[in-house]
Amino acid sequence: MDTQQVSAPPRAPSAGVVHINIRLTDGYTIVSNRLSQHRGLSLLAIGLGTHIQSLPDGWRVGIKALAAVFPESEARIAAALRELEQHGFLRRTRERVGGGKLATRTESYNHPEAAARGRMRECAAAQVPEAVPAPEVLPAVATEPMTAAEPVRVPGREPVRVPEPEPEPEPEPEPVRVRVPEPEPVRVRVPEPEPVRAPEPLRASVPDPVPAPVPGPRLVPTPAAPRKPRLPLPAPQQPTEALYAAAADLLAGLPRVAPLFLLSEEDARGLVPGVAAWLERGARPDAVRAAITDDPPVPLRHPAKLLRHRLAALLPPPPPAAVPVVPLQNCDDCDRAFRSSVPGCCQECRDARAYADEPCLIGA
């Protein structure tokens, strides 16, 4: 029962960041974690290095060019560039261009360690000379030395010295050529140096901007979609001159409380019936003013249209109908008060009269 179910979906972490990733098809840059999660760089340097790696080749990344785009000062941007240079993510060199001018060449690296190893291999390969094959050596043939002939001795006589015949010169032996195997030269593979590209001259024109992203689908209804009809401006059911005058005074005093709602005379005259309908339904002038002017949109382009919409959409309900009050009457017989729409007698006196008018049945 304690075996973990590998088919169960992973549980979302209870704390920390949760990534909501959407597959990107354009407008993105691959940035190495060596830069984005570097512990020795400041956040400003990491952000600046990410921005530089996202730019196309030839884009200006000088201190003044970056300070014109971002809100940071030139001193902070210069310090961030020095951090990137110290950790190998950036390399700036001065090169001479045409016309005797100097230009700054900036190289951005996404893998500083691999780039440094490549430069060390190139330097080591440039210092190793090519192997030269050894010359052929012919060994000399050793010859035995010639010994002189001894004289001939005859017994009893003095030895007659026979003249030694002059030895005929023997032909010199031709040297035997012994072929010594040639030592195989040690071949050292020298990597071909990459061609150094000449720095491009500084362009006077503004570089090509980054292509704009393709706009996504519109989330607004199409022009052919049915539109909600506009609510009509309310009007009072029993208009009076005093009601219209109070509504006109309220609209004329709006700029003192809300300066954005400065209306023309024609707009104020058209909105008077709507304000009069609010006042007729028992709304106080300060409540009407707060309901139609609070929390306006920014920027406010058409104050009259906003007031017209709010007067129609936020109209309060009519007050409940008043219960009719029956007036008090004095009874003609007992002079007591009772409620009735017509004068006369109260209910008790009317009952007593009806009882007295009936015939008596006791003496019959």
Side-chain angles (χ1 to χ4, degrees), residues 6-358:
V6 296
S7 61
R11 182 180 300 176
S14 59
V17 64
V18 177
H19 295 281
I20 310 299
N21 295 329
I22 299 175
R23 182 178 179 84
L24 302 177
T25 57
D26 56 355
Y28 64 91
T29 302
I30 298 177
V31 180
S32 173
N33 287 340
R34 292 177 177 84
L35 174 61
S36 61
Q37 298 183 8
H38 201 283
R39 293 294 181 262
L41 292 175
S42 62
L43 285 177
L44 177 59
I46 292 175
L48 185 56
T50 304
H51 172 72
I52 291 176
Q53 290 191 9
S54 66
L55 296 177
D57 292 343
W59 199 273
R60 296 181 181 273
V61 290
I63 298 177
K64 294 187 178 296
L66 293 173
V69 178
F70 297 102
E72 282 76 14
S73 62
E74 294 184 5
R76 296 189 63 191
I77 292 177
L81 291 176
R82 287 194 296 270
E83 288 185 46
L84 294 173
E85 281 186 306
Q86 292 174 2
H87 291 84
F89 289 98
L90 207 66
R91 183 184 180 189
R92 293 183 292 180
T93 56
R94 302 282 288 179
E95 297 182 357
R96 189 176 300 277
V97 296
K101 297 181 180 180
L102 293 176
T104 302
R105 177 184 177 88
T106 305
E107 297 177 354
S108 176
Y109 299 94
N110 61 351
H111 197 316
E113 295 82 1
R117 289 195 296 267
R119 288 196 299 268
M120 292 177 61
R121 285 196 300 268
E122 292 179 2
C123 295
Q127 296 176 0
V128 176
E130 296 184 359
V132 179
E136 296 182 358
V137 179
L138 299 178
V141 179
T143 57
E144 296 181 358
M146 299 294 293
T147 56
E150 296 181 356
V152 180
R153 294 180 181 276
V154 180
R157 293 184 182 180
E158 294 180 3
V160 178
R161 187 175 296 274
V162 180
E164 298 178 359
E166 295 181 3
E168 296 180 359
E170 297 181 359
E172 296 181 0
E174 296 181 359
V176 179
R177 294 181 179 273
V178 179
R179 187 173 185 81
V180 180
E182 299 177 359
E184 297 182 358
V186 180
R187 297 182 179 274
V188 180
R189 186 177 183 82
V190 181
E192 298 181 358
E194 297 182 358
V196 180
R197 294 183 298 177
E200 299 180 358
L202 297 178
R203 294 180 292 180
S205 60
V206 180
D208 297 336
V210 180
V214 180
R218 297 182 59 186
L219 301 180
V220 296
T222 58
R227 299 182 62 180
K228 188 176 181 180
R230 181 181 300 179
L231 296 175
L233 185 68
Q237 295 182 357
Q238 297 179 359
T240 60
E241 293 183 2
L243 196 61
Y244 275 79
D249 294 341
L250 189 148
L251 291 173
L254 286 181
R256 292 194 297 268
V257 181
L260 296 178
F261 293 89
L262 181 60
L263 304 175
S264 64
E265 183 178 359
E266 182 179 358
D267 292 337
R269 188 182 301 110
L271 296 174
V272 165
V275 179
W278 282 58
L279 297 177
E280 184 186 35
R281 298 193 177 195
R284 298 194 309 272
D286 56 345
V288 177
R289 188 181 302 109
I292 63 178
T293 60
D294 282 355
D295 195 15
V298 179
L300 180 60
R301 295 186 176 89
H302 305 286
K305 291 184 179 180
L306 178 63
L307 293 179
R308 182 184 182 90
H309 170 73
R310 290 186 174 183
L311 287 172
L314 305 179
L315 180 66
V323 179
V325 179
V326 180
L328 290 174
Q329 305 289 343
N330 290 333
C331 182
D332 295 340
D333 293 347
C334 62
D335 200 20
R336 289 186 302 180
F338 69 99
R339 292 188 177 278
S340 176
S341 58
V342 294
C345 299
C346 63
Q347 185 66 30
E348 294 181 0
C349 293
R350 287 198 300 270
D351 293 344
R353 284 185 179 185
Y355 182 78
D357 293 343
E358 292 181 358

